[in-house]
Amino acid sequence: MHLLIPAAGSGKRMGADRNKLLLEVHSKPLIAWTLLAAEAANSISWIGIVSQPSDWEDFKSIIADLKLKKTIEFIAGGSTRQESVYNGLQALPETAKQVLIHDGARCLATPSLFNACSEAVLDCSGLIAAISVKDTIKIVDNNGIITSTPDRQQLWAAQTPQGFDVKLLKQCHAEGVRQGWEVTDDAALFEKCGIEVRIVPGEETNLKITTPQDLAIAEFILSHR
């Protein structure tokens, strides 16, 4: 299985002056934990890190320290996650039939989750790891007034990895460029193109590191693994 890791973001919401994936949790950079999980997943054979070239030297140093054995390629990222994934898709080997896309900031995903998504995507066009919502969700208007309360039994919180047929995902990204669509994940492009996307059970601990509080939670989770 081929894996793309969008890693071109900044650390603004984290209050950092550099790529947040270079910040450390449990004595290792965030990107290191993501790469270790991908290395341990027996389904993953090729990894593409999509990031700004200014970060490549730091990432290469991390990879050298980890002594990873799998093929890792560096791909220039775009100004948005959507652009970065588009660039990553163009850089995939011609032999790639399916691809997993996993945000580097979700550094707590396990090898088991990568393997489960890799297996499931062989039997469908697209999938996302996700967990059912436990909280009651409110729809609120611009004035802060609640307008509705959706049935939480039909609500799922999207995670990554997300897996897709490469040919279809390239077509959806091309259509997104043509139509000027702006989306926050690749599943949304499939939805807009009318292609079904399946849910694969995610992991409660697979949180996205966005704020300093998330770092503290990740530290706690890793210390108990």
Side-chain angles (χ1 to χ4, degrees):
M1 183 61 60
H2 296 77
L3 172 68
L4 289 175
I5 302 176
S10 66
K12 289 182 180 179
R13 283 183 288 180
M14 185 67 73
D17 59 355
R18 53 182 170 156
N19 190 323
K20 67 181 176 184
L21 300 189
L22 296 173
L23 300 177
E24 290 196 353
V25 60
H26 210 58
S27 303
K28 286 185 177 64
L30 295 182
I31 188 69
W33 293 106
T34 305
L35 290 170
L36 285 170
E39 175 81 5
N42 55 27
S43 60
I44 303 296
S45 60
W46 183 97
I47 301 168
I49 299 177
V50 191
S51 63
Q52 302 302 338
S54 57
D55 289 328
W56 288 359
E57 185 175 347
D58 288 325
F59 286 158
K60 287 178 180 178
S61 177
I62 292 167
I63 290 167
D65 289 342
L66 295 175
K67 296 180 172 59
L68 303 180
K69 295 180 174 59
K70 293 184 177 178
T71 300
I72 300 177
E73 302 286 348
F74 287 89
I75 304 156
S79 59
T80 66
R81 182 188 185 282
Q82 188 173 340
E83 288 181 6
S84 291
V85 174
Y86 179 90
N87 291 352
L89 290 172
Q90 312 315 310
L92 285 173
E94 291 185 2
T95 55
K97 302 300 182 185
Q98 290 86 21
V99 63
L100 294 186
I101 300 167
H102 182 67
D103 293 341
R106 290 190 183 272
C107 64
L108 301 176
T110 67
S112 295
L113 183 58
F114 281 117
N115 287 334
C117 291
S118 294
E119 182 178 356
V121 77
L122 298 177
D123 296 321
C124 65
S125 298
L127 62 81
I128 69 169
I131 56 173
S132 57
V133 170
K134 296 180 176 63
D135 297 321
T136 297
I137 304 297
K138 302 292 185 181
I139 306 298
V140 181
D141 66 17
N142 292 334
N143 297 316
I145 305 300
I146 295 171
T147 59
S148 65
T149 303
D151 180 2
R152 68 182 178 189
Q153 292 186 359
Q154 295 182 315
L155 297 176
W156 290 71
Q159 299 181 344
T160 64
Q162 300 189 354
F164 304 94
D165 176 274
V166 170
K167 183 177 179 180
L168 284 176
L169 186 56
K170 283 184 175 181
Q171 291 173 355
C172 290
H173 266 274
E175 184 65 13
V177 171
R178 191 179 74 83
Q179 299 273 14
W181 293 335
E182 294 183 5
V183 298
T184 56
D185 75 354
D186 300 280
L189 288 174
F190 261 45
E191 294 163 36
K192 284 180 174 291
C193 291
I195 304 174
E196 289 185 351
V197 180
R198 181 185 300 178
I199 291 291
V200 170
E203 297 172 332
E204 295 287 347
T205 55
N206 185 21
L207 73 155
K208 187 174 183 180
I209 308 299
T210 305
T211 67
Q213 290 79 11
D214 296 329
L215 271 179
I217 296 171
E219 185 80 29
F220 176 82
I221 292 171
L222 288 169
S223 67
H224 286 77
R225 280 188 174 174

